[in-house]
Amino acid sequence: MKTINEQGYTFQEWLSPEQIAKDVQQVADRISEDYKGKEPLFVVVLNGAFVFASDLLRALKGIHCDVTFTRVSSYSGMASTGTLDVIVPLQKSVKQRDVIIVEDIVDSGLTVNRLKAELQALEANSIRVATMLFKPNKLERKDAKPDYIGHEITDDFVIGYGLDFDGYARNLPAIYKIKK
Ligand code: IMP
């Protein structure tokens, strides 16, 4: 098993690039099926989701779609701060659109819940969530369960494939779990 060091911590490879590609394709196939004949608007949550989003959108089949970005922050280091700062506001109208929020990971669900509430207030027609990773044990509200999940994960901290550790490691092509 491949291990790496990041800022004094050891991380072990957990999902290989090949496994990630399979997970992404499975999500893309479900979205392609569910949104046949529709024109969804993907709202990509920066920074972490940019890697997943770029693979996901290119893996869709027969879908005419639109994409926009927002940036929010609820994390510092390895812990959620519990508050959500909107750093990059939405640049596109979501009114009457079928929106798919694209996340790198849903942990407590706080980030995605706040975003959903915001999009609802802006009168989106429908809102679903696609995430590469989901930590079911940490979910604070059951209604925040994502609609499309690449892979479920235990409570461990992970990096790579868009996920960072204080800004680093987003560029790793595999996903690594912290070694205790
Ligand atoms: P939530 O609001 O607790 O669901 O956290 C969502 C955000 O926290 C994600 O978009 C990530 O940016 C960050 N996050 C949560 N867990 C991890 C992790 O294990 N590694 C890196 N970032 C994480």
Side-chain angles (χ1 to χ4, degrees), residues 74-75 103-111 135 156-158 163-164:
S74 67
Y75 258 68
E103 266 283 17
D104 50 359
I105 186 164
V106 172
D107 185 348
S108 67
L110 265 174
T111 310
K135 291 180 177 172
D156 305 307
F157 187 76
V158 283
L163 291 147
D164 74 310

Side-chain angles (χ1 to χ4, degrees), residues 157-171:
F157 187 76
V158 283
I159 57 169
Y161 197 68
L163 291 147
D164 74 310
F165 184 12
D166 273 346
Y168 293 96
R170 291 193 200 279
N171 57 315

Side-chain angles (χ1 to χ4, degrees), residues 7 10 15 22 52-53 61 64 69 83-84 95 106 124 152:
Q7 297 184 78
T10 305
L15 292 183
K22 279 187 202 157
F52 174 48
K61 292 182 190 125
H64 196 58
F69 301 87
T83 56
L84 188 77
K95 195 168 177 170
V106 172
E152 289 200 358

Side-chain angles (χ1 to χ4, degrees), residues 10-91:
T10 305
F11 288 84
Q12 194 157 40
E13 187 178 298
W14 173 59
L15 292 183
S16 66
E18 294 73 25
Q19 181 60 52
I20 292 171
K22 279 187 202 157
D23 295 339
V24 173
Q25 193 59 58
Q26 167 263 119
V27 171
D29 289 347
R30 286 188 52 212
I31 293 176
S32 302
E33 186 58 35
D34 293 352
Y35 286 80
K36 243 183 218 161
K38 294 187 178 166
E39 280 189 24
L41 169 63
F42 287 88
V43 172
V44 181
V45 185
L46 297 172
N47 289 334
F50 82 99
V51 180
F52 174 48
S54 97
D55 284 345
L56 177 67
L57 266 67
R58 287 178 296 163
L60 295 170
K61 292 182 190 125
I63 288 277
H64 196 58
C65 70
D66 203 354
V67 59
T68 192
F69 301 87
T70 185
R71 184 171 174 205
V72 295
S73 175
S74 67
Y75 258 68
S76 175
M78 290 191 206
S80 175
T81 60
T83 56
L84 188 77
D85 295 325
V86 177
I87 298 156
V88 177
L90 278 174
Q91 305 291 311

Side-chain angles (χ1 to χ4, degrees), residues 87-132:
I87 298 156
V88 177
L90 278 174
Q91 305 291 311
K92 261 188 192 202
S93 168
V94 296
K95 195 168 177 170
Q96 300 310 319
R97 300 296 307 266
D98 293 309
V99 174
I100 303 175
I101 298 172
V102 184
E103 266 283 17
D104 50 359
I105 186 164
V106 172
D107 185 348
S108 67
L110 265 174
T111 310
V112 107
N113 261 346
R114 294 279 193 83
L115 250 175
K116 270 176 133 175
E118 205 171 298
L119 297 175
Q120 251 149 19
L122 294 169
E123 298 177 49
N125 183 51
S126 67
I127 306 165
R128 285 189 182 163
V129 177
T131 185
M132 177 60 210

